[in-house]
Amino acid sequence: MSHNPVFIPGPTNIPDRIRKACDIATVDHRSARFARIFGPAVEGVRQVLRSETAEVILFPATGTAGWEAAVQNTLSPGDTVLAARHGMFSHRWIDLCRRHGLDVIQIDAPWGEGVPVEAFEARLAEDRGGRIRAVLVTHNETATGVRSDVAAVRRALDRTGHGALLLVDGVSSIGSMEFRMDDWGVDIAVTGSQKGFMLPPGLAILGVSAKALRATETARLPRTFLDFADMRASCARGGYPYTPAVGLINGLAEACAIIAEEGLGNVIARHHRIAEGVRRAVAAWGLRPCALRPELFSDTVTAVVVPEGFDGTKVATLAAEKYDVALGVGLGEVAGKVFRLGHLGMLTEVMMLAGLATAEMAMADLGFPVRLGSGVAAAQDYYRGAKEAARLAAE
Ligand SMILES: *Cc1c(COP(=O)(O)O)cnc(C)c1O
């Protein structure tokens, strides 16, 4: 078995402390012991979301079910939602809405762009009758390595005086990049256990605002397993509407403790440093990220555009087969055109250098015009200074 870290944007590397916390003997979920595990996990998630009041809901599922829960619990058949399609994950969320019989106002943006806030604002301003019930934002488009400006979408809603719900996919940003549920007026924040929370897959993690909870009272889309009301009623009695993933929830409490020990601000700063080193490496290779402008650069994943005539998928395949290292492939419209370096969760600068070195070897093996060591050296140069600056700032 390989001990190499993975460099994919989820599932991420799992700290030993979390693996141990997940591995517990059977707990009766109708016992007080379950409540003692559940409480700290929920409180920890609230802190990571930077929310005072969000209702935290945990489903034994994944991020995709988090989208589904957000939609089913707040909307009715035929409702209109506003969404941008600018990568595989935003695309899939739109598809999910259509399959639920929603009317999606889809704004297409190039893959590499963020959420087109001005186009959103124009649509919201036109919508005097309040037909749009929800605005969907993929905070961090994992397919392209693009961060969108959720706060700007909130300002667009406020400026137009629009009352639509703001539903945000933060699956690859929450716990790793700045995410401010309360300040940004996010109504539902969605993530999964296997990304910034560094857990195995298996939990959909949601933060739900009071406004979104009110919307559930009139929302008529069918739901059973993912029903917020059933979940809240059971949790209020210290239980669960079905069997919870107790081991994962115990791991989640540990993950939140680990994040709190490092300090959420430090975690976010570490992700930024590691990502910036990756970007220096990409530039040194003579390549560019798929994200079109610096303000769009994600701090958790970089999609590297490969030179014309080369296949990005082969970089990841070769890295896996020859070096036993997982890199990400391109998805959807950018399949073959990029490979992805995931840099989130349990990761250090030193680990990242190994990922960059592996990408260089794989590219060299495939005949890319990239000089071995060039990206690693650029990242090393950056990390030397950035680590020193971080050390001084901490003193
Ligand atoms: C990973 C990911 C998802 C899907 O999550 P699953 O846990 O695989 O269902 C959704 N959105 C984004 C942005 C992601 O990165």
Side-chain angles (χ1 to χ4, degrees):
M1 194 187 110
S2 162
H3 281 268
N4 291 330
V6 297
F7 299 94
I8 49 178
T12 64
N13 301 298
I14 308 174
D16 287 344
R17 270 175 69 182
I18 292 182
R19 288 169 69 163
K20 286 180 185 150
C22 291
D23 182 9
I24 54 172
T26 305
V27 174
D28 174 4
H29 60 277
R30 299 177 208 284
S31 70
R33 224 181 122 214
F34 174 63
R36 283 200 296 276
I37 291 171
F38 188 68
V42 159
E43 191 42 49
V45 169
R46 206 175 277 128
Q47 306 266 329
V48 170
L49 293 173
R50 295 215 196 269
S51 176
E52 299 280 333
T53 54
E55 180 90 14
V56 172
I57 296 183
L58 307 175
F59 292 112
T62 73
T64 304
W67 287 338
E68 185 148 330
V71 164
Q72 288 178 343
N73 282 279
T74 59
L75 299 166
S76 299
D79 274 357
T80 301
V81 303
L82 175 61
R85 180 183 180 280
H86 56 119
M88 201 60 197
F89 293 93
S90 47
H91 165 80
R92 284 192 187 146
W93 202 3
I94 289 171
D95 175 55
L96 182 145
C97 288
R98 295 220 164 100
R99 294 200 213 181
H100 279 80
L102 300 175
D103 180 10
V104 183
I105 302 177
Q106 175 183 324
I107 300 187
D108 279 284
W111 288 35
E113 266 296 346
V115 164
V117 180
E118 280 171 25
F120 270 24
E121 184 158 351
R123 290 307 183 106
L124 292 166
E126 276 167 20
D127 183 37
R128 297 230 170 66
R131 208 164 56 88
I132 298 169
R133 305 305 301 264
V135 177
L136 275 42
V137 175
T138 301
H139 181 211
N140 191 68
E141 193 23 283
T142 316
T144 54
V146 164
R147 173 205 324 244
S148 285
D149 191 345
V150 180
V153 175
R154 165 47 59 197
R155 287 194 296 274
L157 280 158
D158 290 348
R159 267 197 301 268
T160 53
H162 204 291
L165 294 167
L166 178 55
L167 310 183
V168 179
D169 171 347
V171 180
S172 61
S173 59
I174 288 169
S176 314
M177 285 161 49
E178 190 79 356
F179 189 93
R180 298 189 162 271
M181 179 159 181
D182 286 2
D183 290 352
W184 298 348
V186 172
D187 289 303
I188 300 188
V190 175
T191 187
S193 49
Q194 78 279 19
K195 305 217 177 170
F197 282 110
M198 307 169 281
L199 287 153
L203 286 180
I205 301 169
L206 292 94
V208 184
S209 75
K211 180 173 163 183
L213 288 177
R214 281 196 300 278
T216 64
E217 290 162 17
T218 50
R220 292 191 323 277
L221 277 175
R223 51 196 185 263
T224 47
F225 187 79
L226 299 174
D227 190 72
F228 286 175
D230 289 353
M231 181 61 86
R232 294 179 70 220
S234 292
C235 289
R237 295 193 302 269
Y240 222 70
Y242 34 73
T243 315
V246 181
L248 286 173
I249 295 173
N250 197 51
L252 179 59
E254 187 69 9
C256 293
I258 290 174
I259 291 171
E261 280 165 30
E262 184 176 349
L264 183 55
N266 293 330
V267 172
I268 291 166
R270 170 168 55 81
H271 280 82
H272 179 71
R273 269 199 316 276
I274 293 174
E276 190 53 35
V278 171
R279 294 188 280 263
R280 304 287 172 109
V282 172
W285 293 334
L287 302 177
R288 66 169 183 84
C290 182
L292 291 169
R293 292 184 302 285
E295 71 268 24
L296 299 172
F297 291 165
S298 161
D299 282 343
T300 60
V301 53
T302 301
V304 182
V305 178
V306 299
E308 201 67 45
F310 290 87
D311 182 354
T313 304
K314 286 192 179 153
V315 178
T317 309
L318 189 139
E321 284 172 3
K322 184 169 176 186
Y323 302 110
D324 210 353
V325 169
L327 310 180
V329 297
L331 303 173
E333 287 181 15
V334 292
K337 295 181 185 156
V338 305
F339 69 90
R340 291 179 301 154
L341 292 164
H343 33 84
L344 76 161
M346 184 192 69
L347 210 64
T348 63
E349 289 83 350
V350 168
M351 289 160 81
M352 195 66 234
L353 290 170
L356 294 170
T358 308
E360 285 182 355
M361 291 193 287
M363 287 191 286
D365 290 345
L366 292 165
F368 279 49
V370 162
R371 193 163 44 79
L372 281 183
S374 58
V376 171
Q380 284 172 317
D381 255 337
Y382 174 76
Y383 290 151
R384 288 171 65 218
K387 285 294 279 183
E388 182 65 8
R391 193 183 64 76
L392 291 173
E395 272 180 14

